[in-house]
């Protein structure tokens, strides 16, 4: 899902810049991790990192120093929960293009629902973190089943165990993932099925092309 942020968002959009920050941090940790056993490779990688302004080598700039700001309670569980739902979704459409579908996630009220809301504040979104993880064109997050479910929809059920604060908070929640073919056209820019016409970019891409960033 990183490719969507990197190639579709405006150059200075916070979503794109945050993705670059994560990749930079990951590269720094990986290079310092294998430096003791592959010193020449680590030094070569370090010297070719374009955003490094100092000329000192990897061995003169210290060991791994990850900021505590990266450790946010609940984030790991939120991502793991979303990935479990994504696996359910992809399994229900095995062999088919995930972008040709929209996903409806139904979670009973509780901690899991709150964690998913941290990834998608809106009820329905094509640009949220949750939708990026799901790899669909559009994701809807609900606390109860919709009144009408299309006959061509695939419905899968699952459970996810949340374990926070070293076991101090445990909660098992059930969820349903409804996958159905999306009715919109493919955007010629981002390739998601979120456009009204195959010859016109989707609303997000129109905003980016107009220099207004994502909404």
């Amino acid at each position: 899902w990183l490719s969507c942020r990197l190639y579709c968002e405006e150059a200075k959009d916070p979503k794109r810049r945050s993705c670059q920050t994560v990749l930079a941090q990951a590269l720094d940790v990986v290079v310092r991790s294998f430096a003791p056993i592959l010193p020449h490779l680590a030094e070569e990688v370090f010297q070719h990192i374009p955003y490094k302004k100092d000329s000192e080598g990897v061995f003169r700039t210290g060991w791994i120093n990850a900021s505590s700001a990266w450790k946010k309670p609940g984030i790991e569980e939120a991502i793991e929960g979303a990935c479990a739902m994504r696996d359910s979704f992809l399994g229900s459409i095995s062999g088919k293009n995930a972008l040709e579908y929209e996903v409806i996630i139904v979670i009973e009220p509780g901690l899991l629902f709150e964690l998913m809301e941290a990834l998608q504040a809106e009820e329905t979104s094509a640009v949220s973190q949750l939708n990026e993880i799901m790899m669909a064109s559009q994701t809807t997050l609900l606390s109860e089943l919709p009144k009408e479910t299309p006959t061509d929809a695939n419905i899968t059920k699952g459970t996810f165990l949340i374990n926070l604060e070293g076991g101090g908070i445990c909660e098992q929640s059930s969820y349903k993932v409804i996958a159905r073919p999306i009715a919109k056209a493919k955007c010629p820019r981002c390739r998601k099925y979120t456009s009204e016409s195959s010859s016109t970019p989707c609303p997000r891409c129109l905003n980016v092309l107009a220099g207004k960033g994502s909404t």
Side-chain angles (χ1 to χ4, degrees):
W1 65 84
L2 296 179
S3 60
C4 186
R5 288 191 179 198
L6 290 172
Y7 298 115
C8 296
E9 300 292 357
E10 192 176 10
K12 295 183 179 180
D13 188 281
K15 288 184 178 180
R16 184 175 185 274
R17 297 292 291 136
S18 65
C19 179
Q20 290 177 310
T21 299
V22 170
L23 292 175
Q25 179 70 15
L27 177 62
D28 187 84
V29 169
V30 169
V31 171
R32 294 183 192 279
S33 296
F34 67 67
I37 55 175
L38 294 170
H40 299 293
L41 177 60
E43 186 62 35
E44 183 176 3
V45 173
F46 198 80
Q47 292 299 330
H48 284 82
I49 294 177
Y51 49 82
K52 290 288 185 183
K53 296 182 179 180
D54 54 70
S55 59
E56 293 185 337
V58 64
F59 294 100
R60 292 181 177 274
T61 53
W63 184 236
I64 298 170
N65 185 24
S67 171
S68 59
W70 294 91
K71 299 179 181 179
K72 294 184 178 180
I75 292 297
E76 181 179 354
E77 289 74 16
I79 299 299
E80 289 179 350
C83 287
M85 296 174 201
R86 179 191 63 195
D87 291 344
S88 296
F89 162 54
L90 295 178
S92 70
I93 60 162
S94 181
K96 297 180 181 178
N97 182 3
L99 289 176
E100 295 179 358
Y101 288 80
E102 61 175 316
V103 174
I104 300 174
I105 299 174
V106 183
I107 308 173
E108 58 187 19
L111 186 54
L112 181 58
F113 186 84
E114 293 174 5
L115 290 175
M116 292 306 104
E117 281 188 313
L119 299 177
Q120 179 169 302
E122 310 89 347
E123 182 176 286
T124 299
S125 178
V127 297
S128 68
Q129 295 180 72
L130 180 58
N131 187 65
E132 289 179 349
I133 294 172
M134 295 303 293
M135 299 171 63
S137 279
Q138 179 176 286
T139 296
T140 298
L141 179 62
L142 301 174
S143 59
E144 58 183 18
L145 280 170
K147 294 181 179 180
E148 296 183 3
T149 302
T151 56
D152 59 348
N154 298 320
I155 304 177
T156 56
K157 301 178 181 180
T159 60
F160 184 76
L161 178 63
I162 299 171
N163 192 334
L164 292 173
E165 298 182 5
I169 300 177
C170 288
E171 183 177 296
Q172 182 162 298
S173 300
S174 61
Y175 63 82
K176 295 181 179 69
V177 178
I178 304 171
R180 63 185 185 187
I182 195 163
K184 295 185 178 180
K186 180 194 286 188
C187 171
R189 182 174 180 271
C190 70
R191 307 301 181 185
K192 285 187 176 183
Y193 287 75
T194 51
S195 180
E196 298 301 323
S197 168
S198 59
S199 60
T200 305
C202 66
R204 186 272 299 272
C205 287
L206 285 174
N207 283 331
V208 173
L209 293 171
K212 298 178 181 179
S214 61
T215 57

